[in-house]
Amino acid sequence: MAAGARATPTRTPPRPSSPAPRTEAVVPPDWASSVTLVSSHPTPPVVVVCGPKNSGKSTFSRILLNALLPRHGKVAYLDTDVGQPEFALPGCISFHIVDEALEDLLNPTLREAERCCFFGDISSKRDPEAYLNCLFHLYDYFVGKYRCDENEMLPLIVNTPGWVKGAGFDMLVEMLRYICPTIVIQIRITAQSKNLPDGMFWLEDEQTGPEMININAAFHDALNRSLLIQKDSCGMRERRLVEYLKQCFPSKISLSTNKELAYALASIPPYQVPFSDVTVVHLHCEVPAGEIWRSLNATIVGLAISNVSEASRSIPYCVGLGIVRGIDVQKGLLYVITPVPLERLQSVDLLQQGLIEIPTTLLQVRGCVSPYMSTNVLHKISERDLYAGDG
Amino acid sequence: MAAAEAAPAPEASGFCTGSGGLSTGRKLVPWSSWAEWRFVRDGLFSPFPAAALRRIAAWRSRGSVLIPVDVTAAFVEIRLRDPFFRSGLAGDDAMESEEMLAMLYSMAIMRLVNGFVENQHKKTGRSISELAEAVGIPRVLVDIRHESSHRNLPSLRLLRLASIKAFDWLKCIYWDRQTNSIPDVEVELKLRLHEIASFLKENDSKESKSGSKRKRSEKLIVKAIKYARRLYYAYPFEVVSVLLDLMQLDAPESPESSDMQEIHSLGVYHSSDTQISNSDMKTIIVKLSEKEPRLLLSVLKSVIEMIEAKEELTNKGESYEFLPVGPSKVKRLCSLVLWLVTSIKELKDSGYIGLVHEIGVLSSDKNAVPCFCLAKLLRKLLNLSITGERCMIDAALLLIEMVNGNSVKEKLRKLPVLSLPRLVKVSSLPQSRTICNEQGSLEKATETLEMFKLQLKRQKNACLTETGTTAGPFNTSTPEKHNRWSVAKSWTPCPIGTIPCSFSSCAVLPAFDAVDHGLEVATLEQHGTFDEVDHSERFESQSDELDDGSILKISRSSPEYDISDMPELTSPLKGRLLVGGVWKKVSEEELLLIKSKMKLLL
């Protein structure tokens, strides 16, 4: 029954039908030829990679990035998927300059961003306008810095989210119109209804569009249907945050388990900042004035610098994420744990609270269980409870 | 995941009916304590739900709000806009459009039904109405969900009735049930402690009996101790207070044996409870602290605070008529202090407690106790005005010995130097030297302590008068360019979401084990303090404190800072301001004045 099969929860391991764990990136012929085509362009291209989710956009982007490096030395990368970021943290839209080949073509890796905006949720649907504004801001930044001087132009790869229907499609169209890429790579899967429209779907009439390359998803099953690479995106986000928070500690300290990290986080002397020196911004919720600290305690925040000087789009940019590990209302101090170095923090004047949830594994370690990890929570009213109540 | 879907399990009933102890699973919740949850519950079901709704807004911003909470709040909010329900409410935020109100109600009902059955529906494929019936959702709500999504919007009259039904159902299925399953720490802990006590007795009585039975009850003790420890992790304050409660410190005078292993046989603790003898309690506390040594510190801190509170009452001129057991209780408390300190020492000697100078970030050694905690407790102890008590002196000496591993001699020589202000320094030095010579002499030590305390008090008074005049520098000092961010000093491990601070006024922050392992003052510098004390700096740094809020600076050079800990448990901090290390009462105007000046500086 179709409905039953679809209900596979995200946390279960890959579906039985998917291929054995991939150990090496497979580059099909059409991928290879399009990569060659793009990388042979004399002028640094602006490439947008789009397609439905799990079709291999990120993998293709990585291959393309490595291919562009030898010719251009550096490649700019605009990471626009807030739910499954390539280099950045969940909830962030980020702009990177990559100057070394990516070793792992199969998995995203954490890299420091050159410029980053904290959107604050794992899907752009929460606030399409804010999402696009962040994106446009970062693109403007790229154009201003790496596209103006003819001699120092860099190629750009824009990896897009796999949300290609409804509001997701509308946002993709906006994105493409704003960016005006020189090349658009569309990855298509065999389930046609899930694909983006063929052709230059974002242009209204027959304007002269960019070069358009269609390629197919890399994997197929026995019936030649595209195999989608199912990812455990929830677990990936959690691992990404864990990896990031490990940077709070010197690398010589071994933090192999989450438990060790959780204890280390509970023990590390945090940074402190007076209430009066930072402004708290709730990105997606309205919080009554008297409840701000309650709302903030033990949550993840974006550490941002308000950006009033740049007139065009005054979007604060984010230097990293942190955990508000405690609040002392008496002293008027916020205690924040973050890997961001102290010098860099000094200019941080905004704490952006989004809806990025703190991994619960980091909140509970023996003897150091956060008060927000409660026992005896009645959270599921299932039949079980009811029978128990009746009986 | 599969477990949740399992067929009705008989043991599940334990969870739902009455307080069944701590559940093993934990869940991320937006409230920081059950008290906060109760606050919201009571607010939602009261005629004035505004504060509760504001709190729920904060919860929503944290994520992980449960469906029943979310929907209950929605119903309350809609009712506030519905003229039918808001009779007598002032304000103009009533919604007149029936159509709009009907939409709001329908949406809330739809979210309620879907929220409860959607997951099951997807997993099992059974129909919504079938599932709703199984969960017990009133049929009318299911029908409204269907009608409003696929047919005409139901009438407002029906929707209002349905909303009342939904509201009641939510109250019953979620709010009441959750209320019943909140663990009662006191009851739970007492239950376990009595269990342990009875096993202990059993063991004592059948000393000669077979080893297997003995083993069994020992096993049970271990199990119960483990559970008690879990309770302690979850509710440290409550556990400590229950433990002290059971020590029967209020019990009428009873014959005490000299070695303090006395058994109070008088009186009954609670009408229903059989009492646990103090020696059993002590055994239990020791057993508990073997795995969780900081428990002893928590208890010690509480006991010292109890003595403080007693003293405060005495100082206020309340005579003993009101406190018939006053002096003897204090006496018992004092002997308890000595016992606790002795136990700490014993645990230290047997390796259960590792005294460290600073808990490393990665020290996985759960038995590590920072020295400065003991040092701080010591200072607290010395601040007490009970001096005649021999056991207090013994306790202080033991603590001194532990804090400064080297020698009591060294410590004693430095103590007066540390605490006496400049003027007395000279005169006190010779005396302390005499003590060096006769370090065993407790009488002398008492004398020193007495003097020490006198000076502390004098200093305290000096501070009070001094800070009265600090308004001057306030106005004139120019704001320095300061760094917004800095690394918090003297941090001690504490769960995320809490701060290691004993006088956090904010109720939402459960100040876990506040003073023992959590010290808000620069206690890391403690050891430095003993050696280099520059009193001339003190008053200067106090104005610094007011200038830039860096409290850390001041504490480095003012050992009497800790005195401010005293009143925190006995008197609310409302209307008080920490000035020069002392919680001073300030008037509203004064506060406003200070506030405006602070603003200027910042």
Side-chain angles (χ1 to χ4, degrees), chain B residues 305-441:
Chain B
E305 272 164 0
M306 281 163 93
I307 301 175
E308 275 172 8
K310 280 264 170 292
E311 284 183 352
E312 187 130 307
L313 283 179
T314 318
N315 290 345
K316 272 185 191 156
E318 288 191 36
S319 59
Y320 288 142
E321 273 95 70
F322 300 109
L323 305 157
V325 291
S328 69
K329 181 177 178 185
V330 168
K331 208 169 176 161
R332 259 200 299 274
L333 285 172
C334 291
S335 73
L336 191 55
V337 166
L338 179 57
W339 177 77
L340 285 166
V341 175
T342 317
S343 307
I344 293 174
K345 174 109 172 62
E346 274 164 12
L347 284 179
K348 184 194 160 229
D349 293 343
S350 53
Y352 284 112
I353 292 182
L355 280 184
V356 292
H357 283 276
E358 191 179 332
I359 291 197
V361 161
L362 295 161
S363 131
S364 52
D365 181 11
K366 296 281 173 19
N367 293 348
V369 170
C371 275
F372 59 76
C373 287
L374 287 185
K376 178 145 185 195
L377 282 170
L378 172 63
R379 277 194 281 168
K380 227 170 154 57
L381 194 71
L382 293 175
N383 279 329
L384 295 173
S385 60
I386 299 180
T387 48
E389 291 293 335
R390 196 192 165 91
C391 33
M392 294 301 267
I393 299 159
D394 289 345
L397 285 172
L398 268 177
L399 272 175
I400 290 169
E401 193 188 318
M402 278 191 278
V403 170
N404 189 344
N406 309 333
S407 70
V408 186
K409 205 164 136 189
E410 201 61 17
K411 188 87 284 173
L412 273 178
R413 196 169 60 79
K414 277 170 185 169
L415 255 175
V417 181
L418 156 79
S419 347
L420 304 181
R422 283 161 290 178
L423 299 173
V424 200
K425 212 186 240 172
V426 186
S427 63
S428 70
L429 272 172
Q431 177 160 15
S432 56
R433 286 210 190 92
T434 6
I435 294 169
C436 300
N437 298 337
E438 335 165 348
Q439 58 154 317
S441 160

Side-chain angles (χ1 to χ4, degrees), chain A residues 286-335:
Chain A
E286 266 191 48
V287 175
E291 303 286 336
I292 290 174
W293 310 126
R294 282 205 171 81
S295 153
L296 218 54
N297 194 21
T299 61
I300 288 184
V301 289
L303 305 165
I305 300 169
S306 58
N307 189 8
V308 278
S309 54
E310 285 170 50
S312 59
R313 265 176 236 279
S314 64
I315 288 177
Y317 60 94
C318 173
V319 299
L321 299 191
I323 299 175
V324 179
R325 65 98 61 237
I327 299 171
D328 189 334
V329 177
Q330 195 93 54
K331 292 184 198 157
L333 290 176
L334 287 160
Y335 295 103

Side-chain angles (χ1 to χ4, degrees), chain A residues 191-210:
Chain A
Q192 289 300 333
S193 65
K194 290 186 177 157
N195 279 330
L196 282 161
D198 211 356
M200 290 169 215
F201 54 87
W202 67 97
L203 296 179
E204 286 180 7
D205 35 43
E206 285 307 310
Q207 295 170 323
T208 44

Side-chain angles (χ1 to χ4, degrees), chain B residues 417-584:
Chain B
V417 181
L418 156 79
S419 347
L420 304 181
R422 283 161 290 178
L423 299 173
V424 200
K425 212 186 240 172
V426 186
S427 63
S428 70
L429 272 172
Q431 177 160 15
S432 56
R433 286 210 190 92
T434 6
I435 294 169
C436 300
N437 298 337
E438 335 165 348
Q439 58 154 317
S441 160
L442 286 172
E443 286 89 339
K444 284 283 179 187
T446 318
E447 227 177 292
T448 318
L449 286 175
E450 196 107 53
M451 186 146 164
F452 173 35
K453 244 166 343 212
L454 202 72
Q455 296 311 325
L456 267 178
K457 272 189 186 141
R458 220 176 275 168
Q459 274 181 356
K460 190 172 159 187
N461 291 337
C463 284
L464 288 177
T465 49
E466 186 73 15
T467 42
T469 60
T470 44
F474 238 2
N475 291 330
T476 49
S477 67
T478 50
E480 283 172 38
K481 184 189 169 289
H482 71 286
N483 287 330
R484 295 178 224 233
W485 294 79
S486 55
V487 177
K489 297 204 179 76
S490 63
W491 193 262
T492 41
C494 65
I496 287 175
T498 64
I499 44 168
C501 169
S502 61
F503 32 72
S504 147
S505 73
C506 182
V508 78
L509 297 172
F512 275 12
D513 286 325
V515 163
D516 301 345
H517 356 132
L519 309 177
E520 54 297 315
V521 266
T523 31
L524 278 178
E525 271 92 6
Q526 179 79 39
H527 307 286
T529 313
F530 278 120
D531 300 323
E532 31 136 276
V533 180
D534 187 358
H535 291 280
S536 58
E537 254 178 35
R538 186 179 309 124
F539 297 135
E540 207 179 295
S541 57
Q542 269 157 9
S543 49
D544 275 355
E545 178 207 357
L546 294 168
D547 280 354
D548 61 8
S550 99
I551 291 172
L552 301 165
K553 213 169 182 177
I554 166 193
S555 48
R556 182 190 300 252
S557 54
S558 58
E560 83 281 27
Y561 182 75
D562 290 355
I563 298 168
S564 58
D565 286 358
M566 289 189 192
E568 60 174 297
L569 281 188
T570 46
S571 62
L573 298 174
K574 200 169 153 57
R576 281 162 191 266
L577 186 67
L578 187 64
V579 182
V582 177
W583 290 103
K584 275 186 76 179

Side-chain angles (χ1 to χ4, degrees), chain A residues 147-168:
Chain A
R147 272 325 251 199
C148 291
D149 186 349
E150 291 245 345
N151 301 319
E152 284 172 37
M153 291 213 319
L154 286 188
L156 173 71
I157 298 171
V158 183
N159 189 15
T160 61
W163 188 22
V164 295
K165 297 289 168 190

